[in-house]
């Protein structure tokens, strides 16, 4: 009999599920699916309950989401088996059989077995239990027992304590998700602005007896009918996405990860548009919709929480007049009249300016926030053309404090996007370039924040050199404007730097900025990528490179502005992209260029003399004889001294001046002077496959190579220097240094055949958004060497694969610059070799390299 019942209920569940899911795929109504799945499970549970033969005074209760009357395709079925008294042995046995049956049916149940007293005890001790009971719903059994539970639960509820507990819980949850609704892979249930935030509001008002739904919230006056409608629309959109996530994954899955975004978008009928640089993926449309919805939820949640708090904790705050339009109440700014923004539209900018001017103001009242939110549509072309409004916006950008808070609030309330229509286009826009981890609007605000931090004494320890430069930079607010516009044209197709330059120039002209400041902002927006490209891809020891860059920037103010914007920009892409090596390259380029702009000729002779003198001064500190270096230095040409810092020259000289004719390889390793990674010097009689052999060793150790300088002495020795990183260097660097010096020396002393390059595994992100690998080979400006540029998805063994191909063609490598941008790698090699003299060989080399870097 039990087996027959189990099979019958399994067939019933399966059949119902198929019908419900088929209906959803046809009509796309998530609420209908959630209700139908819940009804199907209700019916099965009722049958199973009656078959269990439990005592009369027991009840089966749905709690949590299931108690709310919703069941997502792969969500848990949360149950409370409510007892009048503790079960005896016979009842316990029947309960165990019931629970086993439910598991056998394939239901993911989360269950508890408690008396009324036990429910209340657990509820008082655990906010999670208290919340789940708030949504309790009887399925079958003793209704009087359930009513008794509800009566005692409601009597024990303290709405104020519940409010504080849920608010704390929400803050902790938001912190877990980095306090942003704009994560590129959000959790549609738990992330800020998601379903859980909506549920928190309903829990709070239900616990306080203020309302039980969005409609009753509106009738109670906590929100308007329009706001209730917006919240219901966003809730439905999130439920729709969550249902599709479950069905696509075939399990409980609430994360909109990159892997599934396209599939979910297409299931919603969204398609890609455009082609080439102007193409927008279906997933980009989906995510922009999601971010706009989450942004609306976040803003309306703020209003609701303030209104609920005012009902639960009424206070008689005294309104202190600020001016005719605004008052300050308990540290919040409030409008003097309900129609302040309607009567004085410019007050929509003035309120943010006042907040930058008054440190005592910590935020806005719910009334001010709501009025601002609803009146934002008054910001139109006429508003933007009003000189008074233009002056107010510039004053916000020039404020001595509070700029970032103002801009973020303006973005949250859609004021910034209404005032700058082109900014509105990039709100919630994703960036699938494998190194930005923020949407375009959030990245821009992050860059402005980074730039602003350079002006603040409390952050001077983070970037001392940047803070020093900013302290002497006149009118730093001009840089904030450049940061605001540097990526504003992303996603329009074409060169966003050129398009953004036009936007920036129009803004500056319309806002009455001087020709000097306008030209600087336009220059910075147009060239915001240039300094990074020169520093990381070109040879900074080449005087022509420095002279060309110096001509581009023209003077110290342009150079300093571009340097500060570049640092702030790279730091604002992702926490993983910035490193000490990039910092050093940019600072070196800045200082060398500054000397040239100051009139000091960047000649080879001057640079050679300066570096040698500085290296000799360091060697004297180590107690070396004044002539100890001479024999070794005679084997080094000018290129060596120009490509190495004085500290590196001194370090290598100290290690090799007595061993420069050694028959055995010399491997020396130290903590990199830049403060990150290890610097490894390899000295050995040159051999054709040396670079590939060293890369193979690093590959086996999972070291990442940031930089390589390859040099051959006049007497045929290779002197190669590498900067490498690995996660555990900082913890065990002494042991690792000793291990590298011993092992790498052994690898080079007793060489074995090179292993075949492995293809490695791409990260999940790279698999989802693969880039087209590119190889570009062209002569340098002097025609002396060739520049080989390679771009590909990052993976283990990539550099070794490239080195293997270069070895095959007997290519001589002089320098290697390895630029890792998140999941993307852009490597630049300075090479020469007999094989490059033949055009056919060049084409074949490029082809073989493309094959090597593909996965």
């Amino acid at each position: 009999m039990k087996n027959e019942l189990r099979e019958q209920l399994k067939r019933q569940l399966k059949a119902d599920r198929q019908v419900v899911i088929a209906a959803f795929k046809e009509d796309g109504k998530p609420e209908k699916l959630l209700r139908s799945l819940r009804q199907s499970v209700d019916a099965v549970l009722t049958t199973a309950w009656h078959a269990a033969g439990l005592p009369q005074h027991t009840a089966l209760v749905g709690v949590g989401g299931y108690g709310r009357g919703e069941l997502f395709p792969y969500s848990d079925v949360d149950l409370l088996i409510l007892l009048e008294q503790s079960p005896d042995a016979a009842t316990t046995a029947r309960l165990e059989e019931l629970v086993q049956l439910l598991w056998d049916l394939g239901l993911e149940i989360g269950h508890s077995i408690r008396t009324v007293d036990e429910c209340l005890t657990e509820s008082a001790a655990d906010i999670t239990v208290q919340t789940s009971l708030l949504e309790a719903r009887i399925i079958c059994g003793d209704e009087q027992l359930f009513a008794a539970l509800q009566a005692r639960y409601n009597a024990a509820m303290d709405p104020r304590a519940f409010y504080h507990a849920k608010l704390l819980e929400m803050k902790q949850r938001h912190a877990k998700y980095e306090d942003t609704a704009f994560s590129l892979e959000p959790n549609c249930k738990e992330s800020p602005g998601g379903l859980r935030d909506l549920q928190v509001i309903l829990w709070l008002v239900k616990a306080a007896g203020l309302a039980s739904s969005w409609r009753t919230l509106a009738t109670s006056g906590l929100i308007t009918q329009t706001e209730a409608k917006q919240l219901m629309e966003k809730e439905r959109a999130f439920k729709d996405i969550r249902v599709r996530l479950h069905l696509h994954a075939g399990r409980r899955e609430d994360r909109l990860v990159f892997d599934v975004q396209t599939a979910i978008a297409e299931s919603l009928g969204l398609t890609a548009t455009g082609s080439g640089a102007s193409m927008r993926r279906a997933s980009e449309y989906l995510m922009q919709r999601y971010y706009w919805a989450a942004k609306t939820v976040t803003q309306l949640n703020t209003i609701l929480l303030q209104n609920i708090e005012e009902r639960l904790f009424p206070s008689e705050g005294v309104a202190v007049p600020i001016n005719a339009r605004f008052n300050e109440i308990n540290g919040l700014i409030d409008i003097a009249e309900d129609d302040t923004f309607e009567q004085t539209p410019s007050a929509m900018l003035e309120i943010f300016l006042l907040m930058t001017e008054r440190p005592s103001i910590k935020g806005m009242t719910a009334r001010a926030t709501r009025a601002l939110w609803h009146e934002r549509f008054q910001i139109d072309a006429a508003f933007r053309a009003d000189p008074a409004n233009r002056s107010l916006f510039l004053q916000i950008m020039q404020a001595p404090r509070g700029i970032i808070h103002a801009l973020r609030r303006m973005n949250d309330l859609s004021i910034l996007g209404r005032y700058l229509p082109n900014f509105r286009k990039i709100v919630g826009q994703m960036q699938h370039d494998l190194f930005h981890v923020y949407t375009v609007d959030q990245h821009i605000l992050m860059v402005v924040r980074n730039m602003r931090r350079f002006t603040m004494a409390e952050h001077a320890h983070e970037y001392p050199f940047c803070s020093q430069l900013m302290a002497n930079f006149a009118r730093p607010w001009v840089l904030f404007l450049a940061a605001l516009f540097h990526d504003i044209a992303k996603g329009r197709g074409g060169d966003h730097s050129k398009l953004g330059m036009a936007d920036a120039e129009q803004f500056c002209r319309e806002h009455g900025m001087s020709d000097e400041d306008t030209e600087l902002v336009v220059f910075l927006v147009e060239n915001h990528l240039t300094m990074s490209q020169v520093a990381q891809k070109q040879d900074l020891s080449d005087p022509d490179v420095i002279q060309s860059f110096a001509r581009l920037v023209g003077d110290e103010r342009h150079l300093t502005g571009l340097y500060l914007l570049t640092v702030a920009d790279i730091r604002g892409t992702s926490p993983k992209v910035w490193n000490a090596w990039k910092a050093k390259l940019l600072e070196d380029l800045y200082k060398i260029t500054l000397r040239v702009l100051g009139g000091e000729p960047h000649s080879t002779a001057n640079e050679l003399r300066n570096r040698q003198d500085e290296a000799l001064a360091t060697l004297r500190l180590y107690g070396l004889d004044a002539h100890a270096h001479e024999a070794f230095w005679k084997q080094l040409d000018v290129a060596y001294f120009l490509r190495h810092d004085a500290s590196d020259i001194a370090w290598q000289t100290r290690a090799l001046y007595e061993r420069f004719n050694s028959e055995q390889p010399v491997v020396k390793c130290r903590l990199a002077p830049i403060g990150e990674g290890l610097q490894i010097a390899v000295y050995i009689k040159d051999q054709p496959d040396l670079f590939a052999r060293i890369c193979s060793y690093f590959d086996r150790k999972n070291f990442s190579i940031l930089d390589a300088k390859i040099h051959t002495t006049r007497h045929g020795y290779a002197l190669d220097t590498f900067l490498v990183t690995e996660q555990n260097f900082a913890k065990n660097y002494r042991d690792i240094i000793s291990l590298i010096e011993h092992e790498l020396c052994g690898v080079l002393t007793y060489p074995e055949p090179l292993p075949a390059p492995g293809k490695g595994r791409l990260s999940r992100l790279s698999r989802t958004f693969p880039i087209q690998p590119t190889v570009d080979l062209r002569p340098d400006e002097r025609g002396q060497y060739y520049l080989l540029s390679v771009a590909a998805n990052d993976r283990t063994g990539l550099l070794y694969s490239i080195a293997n191909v270069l070895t095959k063609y007997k290519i001589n490598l002089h320098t290697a610059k390895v630029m890792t941008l998140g999941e993307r790698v852009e490597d630049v090699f300075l090479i020469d070799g007999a094989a490059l003299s033949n055009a056919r060989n060049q084409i074949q080399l490029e082809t073989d390299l493309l094959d090597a870097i593909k996965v």
Side-chain angles (χ1 to χ4, degrees), residues 55-326:
Q56 179 181 358
H57 298 301
T58 56
L60 184 62
V61 179
V63 293
Y66 181 58
R68 194 164 53 242
E70 299 175 343
L71 186 61
F72 285 85
Y74 289 93
S75 286
D76 291 347
V77 178
D78 293 323
L79 299 173
L80 165 66
I81 298 175
L82 186 62
L83 308 178
E84 185 180 41
Q85 58 189 15
S86 298
D88 56 22
T91 302
T92 299
R94 290 191 181 99
L95 288 171
E96 289 173 353
E97 288 181 4
L98 173 63
V99 171
Q100 185 61 54
L101 172 62
L102 298 182
W103 277 108
D104 290 345
L105 293 178
L107 294 174
E108 294 286 336
I109 65 166
H111 73 285
S112 57
I113 303 172
R114 294 180 181 134
T115 64
V116 172
D117 287 341
E118 288 170 340
C119 285
L120 294 173
T121 301
E122 290 295 323
S123 174
D126 188 339
I127 186 65
T128 305
V129 175
Q130 188 178 24
T131 306
S132 68
L133 288 175
L134 186 63
E135 299 184 300
R137 172 180 61 89
I138 188 166
I139 299 168
C140 53
D142 188 342
E143 294 187 4
Q144 289 185 345
L145 182 64
F146 177 66
L149 169 65
Q150 285 193 305
R152 291 183 61 186
Y153 173 85
N154 291 334
M157 171 63 74
D158 179 350
R160 293 185 175 189
F162 187 77
Y163 175 87
H164 285 308
K166 296 310 291 185
L167 206 62
L168 175 61
E169 190 179 69
M170 186 175 73
K171 288 178 179 178
Q172 291 171 338
R173 174 170 50 83
H174 285 185
K176 179 181 176 182
Y177 290 94
E178 299 179 350
D179 287 306
T180 179
F182 293 89
S183 165
L184 295 189
E185 294 184 299
N187 184 309
C188 68
K189 179 183 176 184
E190 301 289 349
S191 287
L195 275 172
R196 183 66 82 203
D197 280 6
L198 293 171
Q199 291 164 0
V200 167
I201 292 296
L202 291 176
W203 289 333
L204 292 175
V205 295
K206 191 172 183 180
L210 299 173
S212 59
S213 67
W214 300 120
R215 288 188 176 87
T216 54
L217 261 174
T219 56
S220 70
L222 283 166
I223 53 175
T224 65
Q225 293 290 347
T226 301
E227 290 166 347
K229 183 180 177 182
Q230 285 181 310
L231 287 169
M232 285 189 285
E233 287 175 353
K234 306 315 176 191
E235 184 180 46
R236 182 186 183 280
F238 289 147
K239 287 178 178 177
D240 195 4
I241 289 173
R242 191 179 180 210
V243 167
R244 294 173 190 275
L245 281 169
H246 280 217
L247 295 178
H248 177 81
R251 55 183 169 81
R252 183 172 57 192
E253 177 58 85
D254 301 326
R255 299 169 302 153
L256 264 170
V257 294
F258 293 125
D259 314 48
V260 304
Q261 287 173 6
T262 298
I264 300 302
E266 290 173 350
S267 76
L268 287 163
L270 302 173
T271 57
T273 60
S275 61
S278 60
M279 188 188 87
R280 288 198 69 188
R281 295 177 171 88
S283 60
E284 292 181 48
Y285 287 108
L286 166 70
M287 297 312 297
Q288 192 157 32
R289 287 187 186 183
Y290 173 88
Y291 295 132
W292 276 97
K295 184 179 175 183
T296 300
V297 169
T298 300
Q299 198 50 59
L300 291 177
N301 252 26
T302 301
I303 294 171
L304 269 166
L305 286 171
Q306 287 181 313
N307 283 337
I308 295 168
E309 185 174 1
E310 287 176 6
R311 294 283 185 95
L312 292 175
F313 307 94
S315 62
E316 298 297 328
V318 178
V320 179
I322 296 174
N323 57 31
R325 293 164 298 283
F326 298 104

Side-chain angles (χ1 to χ4, degrees), residues 379-447:
I379 303 178
D380 54 15
F383 181 100
R384 292 187 286 271
D386 188 330
N389 294 331
R390 290 175 174 177
S391 175
L392 283 169
F393 189 82
L394 272 191
Q395 288 179 65
I396 293 170
M397 296 302 297
Q398 295 167 357
R401 58 169 297 280
I403 301 171
I404 302 307
H405 289 305
L407 290 176
R408 283 183 170 155
R409 285 190 180 107
M410 291 171 75
N411 189 37
D412 290 342
L413 288 161
S414 296
I415 300 298
L416 188 58
R418 300 295 304 182
Y419 188 76
L420 300 175
N422 285 333
F423 188 90
R424 189 169 188 268
K425 294 175 184 177
I426 49 90
V427 171
Q429 181 177 314
M430 297 187 72
Q431 305 185 77
H432 294 311
D433 51 19
L434 301 182
F435 56 91
H436 282 88
V437 298
Y438 308 108
T439 55
V440 181
D441 60 313
Q442 296 300 306
H443 163 69
I444 285 176
L445 295 179
M446 189 73 72
V447 175

Side-chain angles (χ1 to χ4, degrees), residues 697-709:
Y697 172 77
F698 291 155
D699 183 30
R700 292 198 302 274
K701 294 295 182 182
N702 289 320
F703 294 169
S704 297
I705 302 175
L706 298 181
D707 184 65
K709 295 185 176 73

